[in-house]
Amino acid sequence: MSSIIQLLPDHVANQIAAGEVVQRPASVVKELLENAVDAKATDIKLIIKDAGKALVQVIDNGQGMSVTDARLCFERHATSKIRLAEDLFALGTKGFRGEALASIAAIAHMEMKTKQEQDELGTQIVIEGSKFVSQEAAVLPKGTSFAVKNLFFNIPARRNFLKSDTVEYRHIVDEFQRVALAHPSIHFTFYHNGSEMFNLPISTLRQRVVNVFAGKTNEKLVPVQETTDIVTIQGFVSKPEFAKKGRGEQFFFVNDRFIKSGYLHHAIMAAYDGILKDGAQPSYFLYLDVPPSAIDINIHPTKTEIKFDDEHAMYAILRASIKHSLGQFNIAPVLDFDRDANLDTPYGFKDLQGETPTIQVDRTFNPFSDERENKSYNGGGSSTSYKKPPSTANWESLYVGLEKEDEFVATSGIEFENEMVTGSLFNDQEVEQTVQNTYQIHRKYIVSPIKSGMVIVDQQRAHQRVLYEQFLTNMTVNQASSQQLLFPLELYFSSTEMELIAELKLSLVNTGFIFDDSYAEHVVINGIPVNVVESEVSILLEQLLSDLQDGIPENSFSQNDSIAKSMARSLAVKTGTSLTIKEQENLVNGLFACKDPNVSPFQKPTFITMRVEDIDKKFAV
């Protein structure tokens, strides 16, 4: 019987490996940027077109490669980072598997240009789908340039799985930010379709965070610094008042490598316990430096998860250091009996000597003396005259003469305006109509009687349905009404969020928002929808950006639907809110006036009915 197990051809094996390494254009950006960092580059340029589908190019001024290395780097499992298996536990670089370039070259048109500083000529290689098309010498500057074109050209099924340009661009920005934040000593530049999106000069850690996220990031940051035998922690966390609904600006770096860790995130949330609003997420940019032998980074294909030797100690140290920083900078209340800043001596009085107060006593003072009204008591530099109160011994004399009749005022000739009683403000019929027909239970449900029994309404879901249909109608008919603001609102967002708002601007205008000129870091709002409170605008937009962080639907109706759902979720009355009788009735009436009152915008039931027969059965013996 012939054997049925065969070795896969190299191009097939490369395409299979590409399924792990290259999921989307952002994966190519990540691998190429990390290779440029490993090459000890000080200036890295990222150029993309059509969200990376047409072109992803990374240019660096690093060490470059020789002719042999340039050809060998495209072979599978070829790397300069490790030699032995033990090297996996002493890694100081990013890439080490040796599959990235081979996988990328298997599914794209790739062109590489590289030159070492000591060489006169560089090497230019062109590869299409793992096939070497050409290799020749060329005059090049020092460093390496990788240009990846037509990603997934030979796997159209994978290309069809890519999202819209907006979504893919956001993933690329995420990968770029992760690498740029980890290396403030490198100058990064990012171009998209010919426009400069980021220009990050060499700077300090704080300046790099501010340059990446712009806006008012600098005033949000609280520094964190802790050094122990297990880990060295530095970085920044945000003040509680700047916490957001989404988890966008949260970064962990271990040995300058971005990671995701729900366990460490829980430690940060524990440090913020009691000073954050429900559902709010703080921003943080934390850099952990641990011995390479104390971690294992080879447990996940994308290397975004790490296994620590002592996770419990890491959790405790991280939580304590953040809590200490929040207390040290007066962000959170602390108990410190050693020093009180309010008791410190002001700077202008620190060299002055205190004067001993003098006490003056009037030894002749007698409070029972008849002459005390003519004397004064002088003590402590101030004089206060002491007067004798009037005598009340002959109090009867105060009422002498009041019993005479001619002293009384005649009131018989005074006419008073006759006030006719016209009845109560509401007549009896109106009073009967204001009989309470709705009842609120546990500030969550509204009960209203009907002919067949009663209906129980979930107030939050019902209000979501009412608001959802209102917003959707406004956006569809373009007849939304707005209320002008006396003072315009200025809201600051990151560059990525500003791009999302620019795409959603037309739909937001249809809901009732009025925007002034938008700037690079903030938007100015002059008007808001009539059913939106000014204080809720920032919360509403943050929730909207959080809901649409995975992408904006390309279809206009789907986009309007997503915006209406997000705004309805943000503005709907929450469980636990007490409603007046009038508000309860308006909510119930508004619900049953909707086109689809049975379910909320998120397909959850809004009410249930209980018939009298069902209630009778409960009491049946």
Side-chain angles (χ1 to χ4, degrees):
M1 183 176 179
S2 61
S3 58
I4 60 176
I5 297 178
Q6 299 178 358
L7 291 175
L8 288 173
D10 287 342
H11 68 280
V12 177
N14 286 337
Q15 289 187 1
I16 295 174
E20 292 184 0
V21 178
V22 185
Q23 301 174 357
R24 52 182 6 125
S27 304
V28 178
V29 172
K30 173 181 180 295
E31 299 290 350
L32 296 183
L33 287 178
E34 289 182 348
N35 283 343
V37 172
D38 288 340
K40 296 180 175 58
T42 58
D43 192 322
I44 299 176
K45 293 182 178 65
L46 171 62
I47 304 171
I48 65 173
K49 291 182 179 179
D50 298 336
K53 298 175 183 177
L55 172 68
V56 174
Q57 185 175 9
V58 174
I59 305 172
D60 67 69
N61 62 346
Q63 295 176 337
M65 289 179 282
S66 64
V67 178
T68 303
D69 290 342
R71 183 65 180 261
L72 192 60
C73 71
F74 291 101
E75 298 295 331
R76 292 189 63 209
H77 304 301
T79 178
S80 62
K81 315 297 172 59
I82 61 174
R83 292 290 185 269
L84 303 174
E86 289 76 9
D87 294 340
L88 293 174
F89 298 96
L91 286 173
T93 58
K94 308 292 185 185
F96 56 86
R97 292 187 303 174
E99 288 183 319
L101 296 180
S103 300
I104 296 172
I107 54 175
H109 296 164
M110 197 167 186
E111 180 182 11
M112 183 190 71
K113 299 177 182 179
T114 183
K115 173 184 174 296
Q116 293 180 324
E117 187 174 9
Q118 65 273 16
D119 296 338
E120 294 183 359
L121 296 176
T123 304
Q124 179 176 350
I125 296 178
V126 178
I127 300 177
E128 296 180 359
S130 295
K131 297 180 181 179
F132 278 85
V133 177
S134 64
Q135 178 177 348
E136 56 187 12
V139 178
L140 301 171
K142 173 199 170 185
T144 305
S145 169
F146 284 99
V148 180
K149 306 174 183 178
N150 304 322
L151 194 65
F152 299 123
F153 80 98
N154 53 354
I155 312 179
R158 289 289 303 276
R159 191 177 183 90
N160 293 335
F161 276 103
L162 295 180
K163 305 295 183 181
S164 64
D165 287 357
T166 304
V167 178
E168 297 300 338
Y169 171 74
R170 290 198 61 199
H171 285 287
I172 291 175
V173 171
D174 289 342
E175 295 295 346
F176 174 81
Q177 291 177 345
R178 292 168 182 175
V179 178
L181 288 172
H183 301 280
S185 60
I186 300 177
H187 179 202
F188 287 92
T189 315
F190 181 15
Y191 300 91
H192 181 214
N193 292 337
S195 301
E196 183 180 272
M197 310 308 298
F198 290 92
N199 190 347
L200 309 176
I202 298 175
S203 59
T204 62
L205 203 58
R206 190 185 190 105
Q207 291 172 340
R208 175 56 57 90
V209 173
V210 173
N211 291 336
V212 170
F213 292 99
K216 294 186 176 181
T217 306
N218 190 39
E219 64 184 63
K220 303 177 185 178
L221 302 180
V222 177
V224 178
Q225 182 72 41
E226 191 69 39
T227 302
T228 65
D229 295 337
I230 299 176
V231 60
T232 299
I233 301 174
Q234 63 175 339
F236 307 93
V237 295
S238 67
K239 298 177 182 178
E241 59 265 28
F242 294 103
K244 297 183 178 181
K245 292 286 185 181
R247 297 179 57 176
E249 299 176 3
Q250 296 180 344
F251 296 88
F252 277 119
F253 298 96
V254 176
N255 295 353
D256 293 336
R257 180 190 298 273
F258 172 80
I259 68 162
K260 298 177 181 179
S261 175
Y263 189 66
L264 296 183
H265 173 76
H266 188 274
I268 295 179
M269 297 303 295
Y272 277 92
D273 187 25
I275 58 176
L276 279 182
K277 297 180 181 179
D278 292 339
Q281 293 284 337
S283 301
Y284 52 79
F285 312 89
L286 296 174
Y287 300 78
L288 284 64
D289 188 9
V290 299
S293 59
I295 58 174
D296 184 3
I297 62 176
N298 197 29
I299 63 172
H300 194 273
T302 60
K303 308 301 179 252
T304 55
E305 295 182 10
I306 286 182
K307 178 67 175 177
F308 295 95
D309 277 355
D310 194 345
E311 289 186 340
H312 297 290
M314 194 74 65
Y315 182 99
I317 295 172
L318 183 61
R319 176 180 176 273
S321 60
I322 294 177
K323 208 171 187 64
H324 173 71
S325 294
L326 293 175
Q328 183 180 9
F329 291 92
N330 296 326
I331 305 301
V334 293
L335 290 176
D336 187 359
F337 299 103
D338 297 332
R339 175 182 176 274
D340 186 354
N342 296 325
L343 301 179
D344 290 347
T345 303
Y347 183 78
F349 295 88
K350 67 174 185 176
D351 296 328
L352 298 180
Q353 298 295 329
E355 297 181 0
T356 304
T358 59
I359 301 176
Q360 298 179 3
V361 180
D362 186 2
R363 300 184 182 277
T364 63
F365 173 71
N366 184 2
F368 302 101
S369 174
D370 293 338
E371 301 176 355
R372 59 184 179 274
E373 67 272 11
N374 296 326
K375 295 182 180 181
S376 62
Y377 170 68
N378 186 5
S382 63
S383 62
T384 304
S385 61
Y386 184 86
K387 295 182 179 181
K388 178 181 179 181
S391 176
T392 59
N394 300 323
W395 61 270
E396 295 87 349
S397 60
L398 298 175
Y399 299 92
V400 174
L402 293 181
E403 67 276 2
K404 296 180 180 180
E405 292 184 1
D406 56 350
E407 296 292 335
F408 287 95
V409 179
T411 60
S412 59
I414 299 177
E415 295 182 359
F416 295 96
E417 183 180 357
N418 186 17
E419 182 179 354
M420 297 180 63
V421 179
T422 59
S424 62
L425 184 61
F426 302 99
N427 56 34
D428 296 339
Q429 294 181 353
E430 289 177 335
V431 172
E432 292 178 358
Q433 292 178 358
T434 58
V435 174
Q436 184 172 355
N437 291 322
T438 58
Y439 304 89
Q440 191 179 27
I441 300 177
H442 294 295
R443 298 181 180 180
K444 184 176 183 180
Y445 300 107
I446 299 174
V447 179
S448 179
I450 55 177
K451 290 183 179 180
S452 60
M454 65 178 179
V455 60
I456 304 176
V457 179
D458 187 309
Q459 64 183 32
Q460 182 172 355
R461 295 179 183 177
H463 200 201
Q464 287 177 353
R465 165 54 63 177
V466 174
L467 292 176
Y468 168 73
E469 293 199 2
Q470 288 179 359
F471 287 128
L472 202 58
T473 301
N474 292 338
M475 287 186 286
T476 305
V477 185
N478 297 332
Q479 292 181 349
S481 55
S482 303
Q483 52 179 336
Q484 295 288 332
L485 298 177
L486 182 60
F487 301 102
L489 282 177
E490 291 187 5
L491 302 179
Y492 288 80
F493 299 96
S494 65
S495 57
T496 306
E497 293 172 338
M498 286 297 298
E499 292 181 5
L500 277 177
I501 291 178
E503 294 186 34
L504 300 172
K505 192 172 183 179
L506 180 60
S507 297
L508 292 175
V509 169
N510 292 335
T511 62
F513 283 95
I514 299 177
F515 290 91
D516 200 352
D517 295 335
S518 297
Y519 300 90
E521 300 176 356
H522 68 281
V523 294
V524 180
I525 300 176
N526 288 329
I528 57 178
V530 292
N531 51 355
V532 177
V533 183
E534 183 178 351
S535 60
E536 296 178 342
V537 174
S538 60
I539 301 175
L540 187 150
L541 292 179
E542 287 179 6
Q543 181 66 52
L544 178 61
L545 295 174
S546 176
D547 293 340
L548 298 178
Q549 62 182 354
D550 293 332
I552 302 175
E554 295 181 352
N555 189 321
S556 60
F557 176 79
S558 299
Q559 185 178 127
N560 292 339
D561 182 73
S562 300
I563 295 175
K565 286 181 179 178
S566 178
M567 294 179 65
R569 176 192 288 139
S570 299
L571 299 176
V573 60
K574 302 297 187 290
T575 297
T577 303
S578 179
L579 301 179
T580 64
I581 299 175
K582 195 65 177 177
E583 290 172 339
Q584 298 171 25
E585 293 178 352
N586 289 339
L587 182 55
V588 174
N589 295 334
L591 173 64
F592 290 104
C594 294
K595 295 180 180 179
D596 187 7
N598 297 316
V599 293
S600 71
F602 308 99
Q603 303 305 311
K604 300 291 182 64
T606 57
F607 68 92
I608 60 172
T609 57
M610 293 188 66
R611 299 180 303 169
V612 176
E613 293 82 356
D614 298 333
I615 300 176
D616 291 339
K617 291 179 181 179
K618 300 291 184 181
F619 291 95
V621 180

